[in-house]
Amino acid sequence: MVDVDYYSFRQLLREATDRGGRIETRDTDRWNAYVKAHNLNTTAARAIAATRFDAPESVIIDLGGEGDGLYVYSDLEEGCLRLVYQHP
């Protein structure tokens, strides 16, 4: 998990919402398909975020670009983390 500038994230999230690339956990079919296709460990991501934020929310951005992925954020604390894989 890496820190992401909260305001840049909100702008990306707005773009994803406008273009249909925002996937919420309640959109079970799309969420599960993206998680499976990208082999994401959402449980670990949320656990890590819970150590930083009181009530983190998860969202997937899928716009076909380098900003795609799983984000965990807190509007209250104006913070955001993104799940990224570090290659050795």
Side-chain angles (χ1 to χ4, degrees):
M1 300 294 289
V2 296
D3 284 304
V4 174
D5 177 70
Y6 176 77
Y7 300 100
S8 297
F9 161 72
R10 293 300 300 179
Q11 183 176 354
L12 180 62
L13 187 60
R14 258 190 306 280
E15 180 183 348
T17 300
D18 293 345
R19 293 177 47 202
R22 178 179 181 160
I23 305 172
E24 299 281 346
T25 54
R26 65 181 170 267
D27 188 354
T28 310
D29 292 339
R30 286 179 66 204
W31 180 274
N32 290 339
Y34 189 94
V35 167
K36 184 176 180 180
H38 295 87
N39 196 29
L40 301 179
N41 187 340
T42 58
T43 303
R46 282 192 57 83
I48 291 167
T51 66
R52 298 272 305 274
F53 308 129
D54 283 333
E57 297 182 49
S58 300
V59 66
I60 291 172
I61 294 179
D62 186 15
L63 293 173
E66 66 180 53
D68 287 2
L70 174 66
Y71 293 82
V72 185
Y73 66 98
S74 169
D75 288 329
L76 180 64
E77 296 161 274
E78 296 184 348
C80 181
L81 298 172
R82 179 179 178 203
L83 179 63
V84 295
Y85 292 101
Q86 302 289 329
H87 297 288

